Amino acid sequence: MKIIKIIIPCLLLNACMFGTSKNAKFYTMTATSGSAISVEYNAVVGVNRVQLPKYVDRTQIITQYKDSTQIKISEYNRWVESPATLVTRVLTEDLSVLLPSAQIKENRFKKRETDYVITVEIIEMNGVLGQKAELTAWYTVQDGAGKVKTYQKFTASVSIGKTYDELAQGYSQLLMKLSQEIAASLIAK
């Protein structure tokens, strides 16, 4: 019995001192550099919080296996914050670059006076490392009175490398493409 009392603490101490665990890596999406579509467009535009499928809106990064419907939830590769928050911020920043004279802000307050309000619901946000990142979304542009001016589906994909960093960059590129389409629909109003 005495030997067990000595061995167990030694084993625990050994595990604490010499055991290794994999460190998590954290990623973000960023606004990509683009050029202005219109410098004359000067409306006030609110961007509502982007809606994502619940399985995607988590800090662990989700990927799909090649040629499969199976997904992988990575415990060690994570977003720095909620993907819905990241996507909303990147979309807002991209629109600000594309329409530099417009006032584009996250629509956090319902009573803010805006000329237009953008709502985006992402249906799919999938990536297969070493292949592609995909984005499918529906977006709505409403005027300040709430009348729907545009209701459109967006689908795009980009090739990506084998790393999570390249996946995050791919999503950033897809969000720029979505922003370009939304900006074009705002200008057409």
Side-chain angles (χ1 to χ4, degrees):
M1 190 67 169
K2 284 184 177 183
I3 199 147
I4 291 176
K5 289 181 180 179
I6 294 172
I7 291 177
I8 291 177
C10 288
L11 289 174
L12 290 172
L13 182 61
N14 187 37
C16 290
M17 290 177 59
F18 300 108
T20 59
S21 67
K22 194 172 180 180
N23 289 331
K25 295 178 182 173
F26 295 90
Y27 300 87
T28 189
M29 292 175 238
T30 57
T32 56
S33 59
S35 53
I37 291 178
S38 172
V39 293
E40 292 87 28
Y41 186 82
N42 62 1
V44 177
V45 179
V47 179
N48 286 334
R49 183 176 168 90
V50 174
Q51 299 296 309
L52 290 168
K54 290 201 184 294
Y55 78 96
V56 175
D57 196 17
R58 57 175 60 225
T59 56
Q60 299 98 333
I61 297 179
I62 306 294
T63 56
Q64 275 188 289
Y65 287 98
K66 182 179 177 181
D67 301 324
S68 174
T69 58
Q70 185 179 8
I71 63 168
K72 177 182 177 184
I73 301 172
S74 178
E75 289 298 326
Y76 299 107
N77 295 285
R78 296 173 172 259
W79 298 114
V80 295
E81 59 187 323
S82 159
T85 302
L86 286 172
V87 169
T88 304
R89 184 173 25 259
V90 170
L91 189 67
T92 303
E93 290 173 14
D94 281 342
L95 286 168
S96 295
V97 168
L98 296 168
L99 303 169
S101 298
Q103 294 180 37
I104 300 176
K105 299 184 181 195
E106 290 183 38
N107 199 29
R108 296 182 189 178
F109 308 103
K110 298 291 181 192
K111 301 208 180 212
R112 176 182 287 169
E113 288 191 29
T114 58
D115 297 314
Y116 295 100
V117 175
I118 298 166
T119 303
V120 176
E121 180 183 1
I122 293 179
I123 307 301
E124 288 183 337
M125 191 168 124
N126 297 320
V128 179
L129 295 179
Q131 280 195 329
K132 64 182 174 179
E134 302 175 298
L135 183 68
T136 302
W138 283 93
Y139 67 90
T140 306
V141 177
Q142 295 174 292
D143 66 15
K147 184 177 178 187
V148 174
K149 299 296 186 179
T150 304
Y151 182 63
Q152 188 70 38
K153 185 176 183 180
F154 169 85
T155 302
S157 65
V158 294
S159 296
I160 60 168
K162 296 180 180 181
T163 67
Y164 286 94
D165 188 49
E166 291 166 310
L167 175 67
Q169 291 173 23
Y171 285 149
S172 296
Q173 291 172 20
L174 290 169
L175 291 172
M176 175 52 92
K177 288 182 180 189
L178 174 59
S179 298
Q180 289 169 333
E181 190 170 307
I182 292 171
S185 73
L186 283 167
I187 293 168
K189 301 296 161 220

